[in-house]
Amino acid sequence: MITRFLIQGMDRRGLVFLGLIAALAILVPLSNLLLPSGSALHVPTSTMSLWGKYLCYALLAIALDLVWGYCGILSLGHGAFFALGGYAMGMYLMRQIGSRGTYGNPILPDFMVFLNWQELPWYWYGFSSFPFAMLMVLLAPGLLAFVFGWFAFRSRVTGVYLSIITQALTYALLLAFFRNDMGFGGNNGLTDFKDIAGFNVQAQTTRAALFAMTCVMLIAGFLIARGIVTSKLGKVVIAIRDAESRTRFLGYRVDRFKLFVFTVSACMAGVAGALYVPQVGIINPSEFNPANSIETVIWVAVGGRGTLVGAALGAVVVNYAKTVFTSGFMAPYWLFALGALFVFVTIFMPKGILGTAQELWAKRKKPEPAAAPEPAPAE
């Protein structure tokens, strides 16, 4: 019933997007598991994991589009929420290694044994449980976003100042997680994962299940975001984006609406990070790098700010291009190409790929104005 409510009234592009992701969730794992490797339709495990990573980025882009495209909050710190979700998953995966680590310690992860830790830190307790870890995937980024947003929005920090402090937040976390005494693996981060929910994380079937789960979470994230922006709450959120002072003057508690959207968005980014970690096999402090958050903004801008589908499209397109251009002789020029792409989109395609395509399609379908009738010839 809830799904029917969310899908009701959805436009064609949303339905196409959902249908495409649902088809990927079924066909790609089946192709990987059932078709022989020599078949032209077989999807290799490495390709499936790579596209699983792209879809995690797509979910992150939708999360950012929710706050930037619809609420006008240009967050340059969403990479921090993504990384916190990833670390929550990584801590669970590290606890699953048990005595199979290099040092054979059933309680302490290898890096703690190497650094002479004598006992497990209190904040690692509970991460041997999958449900607890999944709860932390939502709570860790959500709680940080709630506390940060509560202070920022109540203080009416907006615009470029808010962008700067969100970037300062992720940079502070980057420096903190690089420290060995924080208990998160320092520079090396968390890796060498073995099992997830009792299944070998390297097994082909597990990889296929992770890809399918990523598709499901992307669909769920899209539906949640769309449900918010098309509701009455969403209309207030859009009003805040377009005229915050006027919306406040009308009696709305602007800070509460912004706080709600910001927290939901952070939770979605955390889920994306949690799905990303078992598919790439590592999480380290570089995920907090402010450049990652800026890249996420570029994905949304390229795809189309305020379109949800466009944000996901931009994430896939830019990251696919990154995979292609960061190998071979083009590798040194990728950052220049990314910067040039952002400048081009900002100047010539302010509505992004999807927004521009919709505009062109609307002009094509627009009927030509009727020609004025010829004046009747004089008798």
Side-chain angles (χ1 to χ4, degrees), residues 49-373:
S49 296
L50 182 63
W51 279 88
K53 185 177 76 170
Y54 294 162
L55 297 183
C56 291
Y57 288 149
L59 179 56
L60 173 62
I62 288 177
L64 178 64
D65 195 29
L66 179 62
V67 294
W68 183 34
Y70 291 92
C71 196
I73 303 171
L74 177 54
S75 168
L76 296 180
H78 259 52
F81 306 131
F82 179 85
L84 284 176
Y87 264 96
M89 174 61 86
M91 292 166 74
Y92 163 75
L93 294 172
M94 290 299 288
R95 292 302 310 276
Q96 299 306 299
I97 296 175
S99 59
R100 291 173 291 174
T102 303
Y103 299 101
N105 192 308
I107 303 298
L108 298 180
D110 280 346
F111 73 88
M112 290 187 185
V113 179
F114 178 77
L115 295 173
N116 293 322
W117 286 66
Q118 299 303 314
E119 59 182 12
L120 198 68
W122 63 268
Y123 44 84
W124 277 74
Y125 290 151
F127 277 96
S128 57
S129 165
F130 185 74
F132 178 83
M134 295 305 100
L135 183 62
M136 288 299 107
V137 164
L138 294 173
L139 278 185
L143 188 60
L144 176 64
F146 182 83
V147 174
F148 175 84
W150 193 82
F151 285 107
F153 300 140
R154 282 178 63 88
S155 303
R156 299 189 182 182
V157 180
T158 59
V160 66
Y161 301 103
L162 183 66
S163 301
I164 290 172
I165 61 174
T166 53
Q167 191 160 55
L169 170 71
T170 190
Y171 188 66
L173 289 170
L174 169 75
L175 297 178
F177 275 71
F178 261 122
R179 294 172 49 180
N180 284 328
D181 58 358
M182 284 287 290
F184 295 110
N187 183 47
N188 296 320
L190 309 177
T191 186
D192 193 27
F193 307 131
K194 308 288 187 190
D195 298 329
I196 178 169
F199 299 95
N200 183 355
V201 76
Q202 300 298 335
Q204 195 174 358
T205 51
T206 309
R207 294 278 178 172
L210 285 170
F211 179 87
M213 183 55 65
T214 304
C215 293
V216 171
M217 288 295 105
L218 179 57
I219 291 173
F222 174 79
L223 290 176
I224 291 171
R226 185 186 175 278
I228 291 174
V229 300
T230 56
S231 65
K232 292 181 180 178
L233 182 149
K235 295 185 187 304
V236 178
V237 167
I238 294 172
I240 292 171
R241 177 196 66 186
D242 295 339
E244 181 172 337
S245 298
R246 185 177 299 176
T247 309
R248 183 179 290 110
F249 180 75
L250 290 173
Y252 291 100
R253 295 292 301 268
V254 169
D255 55 329
R256 295 185 180 180
F257 286 92
K258 294 170 80 171
L259 183 60
F260 172 76
V261 175
F262 193 63
T263 304
V264 171
S265 172
C267 292
M268 290 171 58
V271 172
L275 290 164
Y276 168 87
V277 169
Q279 296 187 84
V280 301
I282 187 171
I283 177 75
N284 61 34
S286 66
E287 296 299 335
F288 287 103
N289 193 325
N292 292 353
S293 298
I294 295 173
E295 276 196 38
T296 309
V297 171
I298 295 176
W299 305 342
V300 177
V302 169
R305 176 190 170 200
T307 57
L308 293 181
V309 175
L313 176 66
V316 174
V317 168
V318 174
N319 281 287
Y320 179 76
K322 184 177 183 179
T323 301
V324 173
F325 290 111
T326 52
S327 59
F329 71 97
M330 290 293 293
Y333 309 107
W334 164 246
L335 288 179
F336 297 103
L338 185 65
L341 177 65
F342 185 58
V343 172
F344 177 83
V345 168
T346 304
I347 296 176
F348 299 105
M349 298 172 61
K351 295 182 179 179
I353 296 174
L354 194 64
T356 303
Q358 282 181 316
E359 199 172 64
L360 293 175
W361 179 254
K363 286 181 180 178
R364 185 179 176 184
K365 292 185 66 177
K366 190 174 180 180
E368 294 291 334

